[in-house]
Every structure is written in C-alpha cells, then in structure tokens.
C-alpha cells in the first residue's frame, strides 16, 4: 500500500512544507538517508499552542503536537525525495520538549511522533529515538521533531 493511501486511511494529508525560520533547508538527502530540519507543530503556518509542557501545555496535548511535527517532517522529506514510498526505514527520531521545571515525561510526549510513524510505515516505522527536555524552542513552541529516514 502506498504511503499516501495509508495517510488517507488515517485521515491525514501531507501539509505544505513550512518555510524555514532561518538559514537552513527543510530537508537534505545524502546517500540513502534523508535528514529533516527540526519541525515545529505548525498548522497552516500557525502554532496551535505555545509554552512549556507541564505548565501551559498538557503532556497529552504535547503528544498531539509531536504527531503534527512528525507529519510536517514527512512533508519536508517528501519535498526532497518526491514520494514517501521511497522510504524503506525510519532510522531515528529526535524530539525536543520545552519543559516546565520538574517535568520528566518527555518520552510519553514523543510517543505522539513515534506512534504516527508506526501507523504510517508499520514495521519500517520502528526507530531509535532521543527525547530531550529543553528550556525553550523557536517561537515558544512546546515541541520540535526531526527525522532520519532511509530511502531506496
């Protein structure tokens, strides 16, 4: 089944690729790998929430925002490889969580991104992952996600 068809079954479409906020590109290909820039949970160019997870943003909402980040990262990857059907494996996910003091459930927040990748790619969506708590993210976003994908 094509990735586009699977996304449609999940009720999802790839968004337009967000214009970079600074001097970088959304994704690059080197060899058989695609690296995405960190993606924020922008929806139509707007953050659905700002602030720290565990304070202004609930962990459950943040997991949903991590899911949006992953979808945005897939759009960035598709912009440089043409079709996500070329993806043979999700290699690595790096997730950043803007954390309130004492917040320690970063892994649960990043499950939002990981679960989406599993739903879209099945076994090929299983990946290594880092979940990192940070003081602040660009635009005061609660989460940011980057991907490394293997392609054929």
């Amino acid at each position: 089944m094509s990735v586009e068809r699977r996304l449609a079954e999940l009720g999802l479409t790839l968004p337009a690729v967000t214009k970079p906020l600074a001097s970088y590109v959304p994704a690059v290909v080197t060899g058989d790998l695609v690296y995405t820039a960190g993606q924020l949970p922008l929806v139509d160019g707007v953050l659905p929430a700002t602030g720290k997870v565990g304070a202004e943003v609930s962990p459950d909402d943040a997991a949903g925002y991590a899911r949006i980040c992953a979808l945005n990262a897939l759009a960035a990857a598709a912009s440089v490889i043409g079709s996500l059907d070329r993806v043979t494996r999700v290699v690595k996910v790096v997730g950043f969580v803007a954390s309130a003091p004492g917040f320690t459930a970063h892994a649960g927040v990043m499950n939002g991104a990981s679960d989406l990748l599993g739903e879209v790619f099945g076994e090929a969506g299983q990946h290594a992952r880092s979940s990192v708590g940070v003081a602040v993210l660009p635009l005061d976003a609660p989460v940011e996600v980057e991907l490394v994908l293997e392609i054929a």
Side-chain angles (χ1 to χ4, degrees):
M1 174 183 303
S2 78
V3 173
E4 286 183 20
R5 178 177 276 172
R6 182 65 186 137
L7 287 168
E9 283 184 355
L10 294 169
L12 301 170
T13 57
L14 289 180
V17 177
T18 301
K19 182 180 175 188
L21 300 174
S23 299
Y24 61 90
V25 295
V28 297
V29 177
T30 183
D32 61 353
L33 297 174
V34 178
Y35 291 81
T36 71
Q39 299 293 312
L40 302 178
L42 294 166
V43 177
D44 296 325
V46 177
L47 283 174
T50 58
K52 306 296 180 274
V53 180
E56 299 88 2
V57 179
S58 76
D60 286 342
D61 286 347
Y65 301 141
R67 184 177 177 91
I68 293 168
C69 291
L71 190 62
N72 289 343
L74 291 176
S79 76
V80 295
I81 63 171
S83 170
L84 291 176
D85 290 334
R86 292 186 58 199
V87 175
T88 58
R89 175 101 200 186
V90 178
V91 178
K92 175 90 184 220
V93 173
V94 180
F96 302 95
V97 180
S99 303
F103 182 75
T104 61
H106 307 91
V109 168
M110 279 305 123
N111 282 346
S114 293
D115 292 348
L116 173 75
L117 296 167
E119 292 168 18
V120 171
F121 294 105
E123 189 175 316
Q126 295 177 355
H127 52 270
R129 185 179 81 188
S130 298
S131 301
V132 182
V134 298
V136 68
L137 288 166
L139 305 178
D140 199 26
V143 292
E144 181 174 338
V145 172
E146 60 184 56
L147 303 178
V148 179
L149 307 169
E150 182 182 55
I151 58 173

